[in-house]
Amino acid sequence: MTHGACAAVGLWGRRAFALGAECSAVVKTGLGTLVGECGQGVRVFRGVPFAAPPVGDLRFRAPAKALAWTGERDATRFGASAPQPREQGVTHSEDCLYLNLWAPQGKGPFPVYVWIHGGGFTGGHAFEPVYDGTMLAQQGVICITVGYRLGVLGFLDVEPMLGREYAGSANNGLRDLMAALSWVQAHVADFGGDPGRVTVGGESAGAKLTDILMGIPAARPLFSQMISESGGAERVWPHAVAQSIGSGFAEKWRASSGLTDRDLLTASSDLLLVAQEKMIAEWPQHFPLRPEIDGTLVPRLPIQAIDAGSCKGKRLLIGTNRDESALFVGPHPGHDASAAELGNMPQKEFVGIYAQYKRLYPEMTDDQLRIRALTAEEYWIPSVRVADAHVKAGGKAWMYRLDFAEARGRLANFAYHSLDVGLVWDKPHPGIGNDADESALAVTMQSAWASFIRGGAPVAAGLPEWPEYETGNRKTMILDVHSGVVDHPQKAELALWDGKL
């Protein structure tokens, strides 16, 4: 363990710390003592178990409670990443249910931010370098990043192969996240955190999982606020579809491994990933691995639950990037969207909507139209639906659209998917041509996010007043070199999607 000297000075603000009092990174919890590290005015605890390892008899099962330990547990190293394909230089293990925590010095109570990483439900890590919570902790926030099971281990209904006792297994990744949030409720006070002020949030798949959690009755007591960056609450299968995907995986499993269905319980995760890759490559729809409406944990489509008031009284910060899909199809997509590129609706329905885009935007090239419509289908419209439903049911929301684009690189001039991550975590990209503008916007966005997490409006120096979102005017903060609020952005385009998604 290393020790630093640090003490907060003045009101909470960016990097508002100075050398002074001794920093202690030894914390006693109800499960045992953790020994972390100090530095830059922040205490850091890595690789903290929030559930029992989901291995052996617990494969494809709901997470079990974390096991207590004796003595002091080293919390200076990250835990392993969930198994995922095509990665080198990263330690993978099914024993992956760990969180990482950055805490300010002092007793608190501090608000808490629980971050869910993205990765399409099949990839990603809780320990990406960009997800360093030091700067948020320096602003008076306990920042926590969590791992969860991915791919077939977290989002596949294996009931068709293994029987009724595994019903609802496509929701195990969701259950992992709820176990992490339950750990926060039980233990974050030991680190100076306030379990009554927990914000859950994420980007991409992490945002979709956040929005889905909004519609899960059992998750309601686990958080008080939400942040959704490029999300939506539709990424859930009806039970029958989830079962058909389970059966489709079974065919690939038998063919690729030469093993039986029961061997799923003991075979290596590498063999499971081989079958997973084959199934995803040939499945006619995008993202076949996702949660399901199982009638218990997820009783109905989450957007319907949100509309009925499942998060009434809670606060939501939500938004998207203007050109999200450019990251996936490139700046010059060579064809109209295929079924395998659509995340939320059948291709036939999408084609009817897309046909109207040329009339709406006659000045756009075919490349621009394709990116615009795909972005709407995957991110923008689902996010608008969440914001509308939440506000209608008595929640509060603040909406944004990121228009800032880098001036250099393959995706120059596009506000592409994931560009917001480096801004919110104040990790701008170097060498993009307009570095100073991006660095300034990163300071602004992280400050606004931290303000929201602490319980205020998303405010920051230099940012215009950010009004609450209402369905009557849909006031939206456009985040750019010069940010500003607009009413009804893309109003005519939004009308194309009336009654869809």
Side-chain angles (χ1 to χ4, degrees):
M1 178 179 64
T2 61
H3 293 271
C6 39
V9 293
L11 297 175
W12 292 119
R14 295 182 59 80
R15 302 164 184 82
F17 287 85
L19 295 179
E22 179 72 11
C23 174
S24 174
V26 179
V27 171
K28 293 182 179 180
T29 76
L31 295 172
T33 300
L34 292 165
V35 182
E37 293 180 329
C38 284
Q40 305 179 68
V42 172
R43 299 169 294 150
V44 185
F45 302 85
R46 303 178 182 89
V48 179
F50 64 81
V55 300
D57 291 342
L58 291 179
R59 178 184 274 187
F60 299 122
R61 301 278 193 180
K65 289 185 177 180
L67 306 174
W69 61 88
T70 58
E72 294 182 339
R73 181 185 178 98
D74 178 23
T76 62
R77 292 175 293 180
F78 293 116
S81 174
Q84 51 197 281
R86 299 185 305 278
E87 274 206 324
Q88 301 293 326
V90 177
T91 300
H92 297 105
S93 173
E94 290 184 59
D95 181 6
C96 61
L97 301 186
Y98 297 91
L99 58 82
N100 312 296
L101 185 150
W102 289 259
Q105 282 208 222
K107 296 182 179 180
F110 305 111
V112 182
Y113 186 33
V114 179
W115 171 261
I116 305 170
H117 69 76
F121 302 143
T122 59
H125 319 96
F127 50 78
E128 298 278 5
V130 70
Y131 306 150
D132 184 319
T134 299
M135 291 182 182
L136 280 171
Q138 288 174 339
Q139 298 184 69
V141 171
I142 287 184
C143 180
I144 298 174
T145 64
V146 299
Y148 56 99
R149 281 174 283 181
L150 302 169
V152 296
L153 292 166
F155 298 103
L156 177 71
D157 189 333
V158 297
E159 182 186 353
M161 292 163 279
L162 300 177
R164 284 288 300 165
E165 61 183 302
Y166 291 91
S169 56
N171 291 329
N172 282 338
L174 276 173
R175 292 187 176 95
D176 294 344
L177 296 172
M178 292 175 62
L181 290 164
S182 295
W183 182 97
V184 170
Q185 289 296 312
H187 301 291
V188 80
D190 298 328
F191 301 83
D194 184 350
R197 290 191 294 161
V198 174
T199 302
V200 62
E203 182 266 347
S204 194
K208 295 178 190 301
L209 289 164
T210 295
D211 296 342
I212 291 167
L213 285 168
M214 289 175 65
I216 296 179
R220 180 176 174 82
L222 301 179
F223 53 88
S224 57
Q225 306 191 135
M226 304 76 59
I227 296 178
S228 174
E229 302 171 33
S230 307
E234 285 86 3
R235 192 55 53 78
V236 175
W237 288 128
H239 178 64
V241 176
Q243 293 240 307
S244 71
I245 292 168
S247 297
F249 174 80
E251 295 178 8
K252 300 303 176 187
W253 167 251
R254 296 165 196 147
S256 64
S257 69
L259 300 175
T260 69
D261 290 356
R262 297 302 297 183
D263 288 325
L264 280 170
L265 296 172
T266 55
S268 73
S269 59
D270 288 340
L271 282 178
L272 271 65
L273 290 176
V274 170
Q276 171 182 307
E277 288 289 274
K278 291 181 180 295
M279 188 268 287
I280 290 176
E282 298 179 20
W283 200 259
Q285 293 164 295
H286 207 18
F287 300 112
L289 297 172
R290 58 178 80 174
E292 67 173 307
I293 300 172
D294 61 358
T296 52
L297 184 73
V298 185
R300 55 178 164 170
L301 196 65
I303 188 65
Q304 295 173 344
I306 296 169
D307 187 71
S310 59
C311 275
K312 181 179 181 180
K314 298 182 188 289
R315 300 178 352 128
L316 170 68
L317 175 59
I318 187 169
T320 58
N321 304 346
R322 185 190 59 204
D323 313 305
E324 303 260 13
S325 294
L327 179 69
F328 307 106
V329 299
H332 304 293
H335 59 81
D336 291 344
S338 65
E341 291 170 321
L342 297 171
N344 296 306
M345 68 192 312
Q347 185 182 24
K348 183 177 180 180
E349 290 184 33
F350 176 80
V351 167
I353 298 171
Y354 179 62
Q356 304 177 65
Y357 265 71
K358 190 67 176 179
R359 170 186 59 79
L360 188 61
Y361 297 117
E363 74 283 3
M364 285 190 178
T365 66
D366 287 344
D367 291 342
Q368 292 170 327
L369 290 170
R370 288 163 178 158
I371 291 169
R372 186 67 169 253
L374 270 174
T375 295
E377 189 271 346
E378 177 70 17
Y379 302 104
W380 177 54
I381 296 299
S383 295
V384 169
R385 298 289 183 255
V386 170
D388 284 353
H390 182 59
V391 169
K392 170 181 169 289
K396 293 186 175 183
W398 288 260
M399 175 72 87
Y400 72 87
R401 189 184 76 203
L402 178 65
D403 281 17
F404 176 83
E406 297 170 339
R408 186 182 301 154
R410 172 175 171 266
L411 296 176
N413 303 315
F414 288 99
Y416 58 84
H417 183 69
S418 77
L419 180 59
D420 54 300
V421 176
L423 298 172
V424 169
W425 290 85
D426 200 357
K427 302 288 192 305
H429 305 130
I432 49 87
N434 49 348
D435 299 46
D437 288 336
E438 186 171 48
S439 294
L441 184 57
V443 170
T444 298
M445 288 180 64
Q446 187 177 89
S447 296
W449 263 237
S451 175
F452 178 83
I453 293 165
R454 291 196 299 266
V459 298
L463 191 67
E465 181 181 354
W466 192 335
E468 289 184 31
Y469 179 89
E470 299 175 351
T471 55
N473 53 40
R474 292 197 170 93
K475 289 184 180 294
T476 300
M477 178 65 74
I478 307 301
L479 294 165
D480 205 338
V481 176
H482 303 290
S483 300
V485 177
V486 300
D487 289 3
H488 292 294
Q490 300 165 250
K491 184 176 182 180
E493 182 181 352
L494 182 62
L496 299 181
W497 297 86
D498 281 349
K500 311 297 183 187
L501 292 183

